[in-house]
Amino acid sequence: MYLQQLSVINFKNYTEAELNFSEGVNAFTGNNGAGKTNLLDAIHYLSLCKSYFNPIDSQQIKQGADFFIINGTFNKNENKEAIACGVKRNQKKQFKRNKKDYQRLADHIGLFPLVMVSPYDISIIIEGSEERRKFIDNVISQTDNHYLDELIVYNKVLINRNALLKRIADTGRYDPELLAVFDEQLIASGNRIFEKRKAFMENFTLIFNKHYQFLSENAEQVDLVYESQLLQDNFASLLKKSTERDRALERTTTGIHKDELQFAIHGMPMKKFGSQGQQKSFLIALKLAQYSFLYQQKGFKPLLLLDDIFDKLDDNRVTKLMQMVSNNDFGQVFITDTSAGKVESIFSRIGVDLKLFKVTGGEIDT
């Protein structure tokens, strides 16, 4: 699978642009603010129905315009697939595949899998556990349509249970029957999510370790550990034991919404003890493992988008990384960087063809 063509109208800083891509490596170069990353985000829209950086669709519309349109043509199994996304102010987002509207956007997720690596991903390491759960959920959702539905169900029940706990605290009237109903629903959904996360992490951890050791040339010992309360006890027992605490705190304190990923280097937390280069290598290894997992599960190669990834990596790791993503285990790659000369030099050194796009203030030269 690869993206043959992309066109945008009134998207971010672009009035209009149309690009044709190589099946291999494509690079967007130009100064900061020129619009390189915006092109990656347009590709992200085509694959995952949303921006990678901003959840509010209307804020992607070019200033002064009333709408944006993104069109793309994918080649998948030698068949052409036309994907179109349109957003008008104060109207519902439209998404079409081969000119047919989707009834549910969730049905599109996973058809054209994609992995984005961006400087913003540092939040996975330095922010709270919610960011790391989102990472797990994003990967699994692209390979399992039912997983996303299960998450929606779980979160709705969780909101209802927390509202009941607050009402009990406010009124002083305990309602064990209704609480039991919510518990039963939460357990059923939570157990299914837990089993999928656990199975995913058993596979994913092995893939991650392979990628990190390649990037670091086995120079560093890192650990990626999945932690869940459900690994120690069953969900029903956990909820029963925490009932009084939940009532006191007016929220549900046990469940898969408390799952965590622990990142470590040489046995110490990566967040505190990893250098910027080590943290970036860790993130890249995570995303490359995501790519390998999607490839393994889908049976074809996803798109790989690398946004400004050369910064804070030494030359050796940059070369190793580019060698890795340019080999047969990876498919179409999109890269952004401020220096066309640097990108050309890297790929010339490793003997890989490159299609270069120079971006200047929303204008593109090839």
Side-chain angles (χ1 to χ4, degrees), residues 93-242:
K93 175 166 53 184
Q94 288 189 312
F95 217 90
K96 296 182 180 183
R97 178 186 176 197
N98 298 324
K99 299 183 179 180
K100 292 183 179 179
D101 285 299
Y102 278 99
Q103 297 299 312
R104 302 186 325 145
L105 292 182
D107 293 336
H108 182 74
I109 307 303
L111 293 180
F112 305 93
L114 171 152
V115 175
M116 170 88 91
V117 186
S118 160
Y120 290 88
D121 295 329
I122 193 65
S123 62
I124 298 174
I125 287 182
I126 66 174
E127 299 295 337
S129 57
E130 182 180 359
E131 293 296 322
R132 291 177 283 283
R133 287 193 299 274
K134 281 182 183 176
F135 172 76
I136 297 175
D137 294 340
N138 176 271
V139 184
I140 301 176
S141 294
Q142 290 195 64
T143 62
D144 185 339
N145 289 337
H146 300 296
Y147 184 79
L148 197 55
D149 293 334
E150 204 69 74
L151 281 173
I152 292 169
V153 170
Y154 182 90
N155 287 325
K156 282 182 178 177
V157 177
L158 183 64
I159 288 169
N160 290 335
R161 189 179 192 271
N162 287 344
L164 174 61
L165 290 168
K166 190 172 189 323
R167 189 161 71 246
I168 290 170
D170 290 343
T171 63
R173 290 196 294 272
Y174 185 40
D175 191 342
E177 290 80 13
L178 184 55
L179 190 63
V181 169
F182 288 146
D183 284 0
E184 186 178 336
Q185 295 173 344
L186 206 63
I187 290 164
S189 186
N191 280 335
R192 286 191 285 267
I193 293 168
F194 168 68
E195 291 300 330
K196 289 181 178 182
R197 284 181 178 173
K198 185 172 70 167
F200 162 70
M201 287 304 303
E202 287 171 357
N203 185 359
F204 183 80
T205 302
L206 296 174
I207 302 171
F208 163 80
N209 285 332
K210 181 186 74 172
H211 284 308
Y212 191 92
Q213 293 311 322
F214 179 86
L215 282 175
S216 68
E217 296 185 312
N218 298 305
E220 297 152 1
Q221 176 61 46
V222 293
D223 294 297
L224 173 63
V225 180
Y226 172 53
E227 294 184 349
S228 176
Q229 296 165 328
L230 275 68
L231 288 166
Q232 279 74 50
D233 205 345
N234 68 74
F235 201 175
S237 177
L238 287 168
L239 283 173
K240 185 175 181 181
K241 291 174 183 175
S242 67

Side-chain angles (χ1 to χ4, degrees), residues 148-354:
L148 197 55
D149 293 334
E150 204 69 74
L151 281 173
I152 292 169
V153 170
Y154 182 90
N155 287 325
K156 282 182 178 177
V157 177
L158 183 64
I159 288 169
N160 290 335
R161 189 179 192 271
N162 287 344
L164 174 61
L165 290 168
K166 190 172 189 323
R167 189 161 71 246
I168 290 170
D170 290 343
T171 63
R173 290 196 294 272
Y174 185 40
D175 191 342
E177 290 80 13
L178 184 55
L179 190 63
V181 169
F182 288 146
D183 284 0
E184 186 178 336
Q185 295 173 344
L186 206 63
I187 290 164
S189 186
N191 280 335
R192 286 191 285 267
I193 293 168
F194 168 68
E195 291 300 330
K196 289 181 178 182
R197 284 181 178 173
K198 185 172 70 167
F200 162 70
M201 287 304 303
E202 287 171 357
N203 185 359
F204 183 80
T205 302
L206 296 174
I207 302 171
F208 163 80
N209 285 332
K210 181 186 74 172
H211 284 308
Y212 191 92
Q213 293 311 322
F214 179 86
L215 282 175
S216 68
E217 296 185 312
N218 298 305
E220 297 152 1
Q221 176 61 46
V222 293
D223 294 297
L224 173 63
V225 180
Y226 172 53
E227 294 184 349
S228 176
Q229 296 165 328
L230 275 68
L231 288 166
Q232 279 74 50
D233 205 345
N234 68 74
F235 201 175
S237 177
L238 287 168
L239 283 173
K240 185 175 181 181
K241 291 174 183 175
S242 67
T243 299
E244 292 306 314
R245 183 175 56 190
D246 289 357
R247 288 182 61 183
L249 296 176
E250 301 176 28
R251 57 184 170 81
T252 306
T253 60
T254 56
I256 55 95
H257 58 289
K258 297 293 185 181
D259 285 0
E260 172 67 292
L261 281 182
Q262 294 291 350
F263 302 153
I265 182 164
H266 301 305
M268 307 298 285
M270 174 65 76
K271 180 177 182 177
K272 293 183 178 179
F273 294 92
S275 68
Q276 287 185 323
Q278 288 167 333
Q279 289 181 357
K280 192 153 192 177
S281 295
F282 196 96
L283 283 170
I284 291 170
L286 274 179
K287 293 303 188 85
L288 294 182
Q290 176 186 357
Y291 185 100
S292 297
F293 178 81
L294 291 175
Y295 182 16
Q296 180 187 93
Q297 297 295 311
K298 307 297 286 189
F300 58 89
K301 297 170 184 176
L303 304 184
L304 180 62
L305 280 55
L306 305 173
D307 184 27
D308 189 27
I309 61 156
F310 298 145
D311 184 42
K312 298 184 178 67
L313 289 180
D314 58 51
D315 289 344
N316 187 51
R317 293 194 196 211
V318 167
T319 300
K320 296 282 285 185
L321 175 59
M322 291 303 99
Q323 285 174 334
M324 183 190 297
V325 302
S326 300
N327 70 22
N328 290 332
D329 291 335
F330 290 81
Q332 190 177 34
V333 180
F334 296 87
I335 295 171
T336 69
D337 196 75
T338 54
S339 171
K342 179 170 68 175
V343 174
E344 288 176 314
S345 173
I346 290 168
F347 284 93
S348 174
R349 192 162 64 242
I350 62 176
V352 173
D353 290 336
L354 171 74

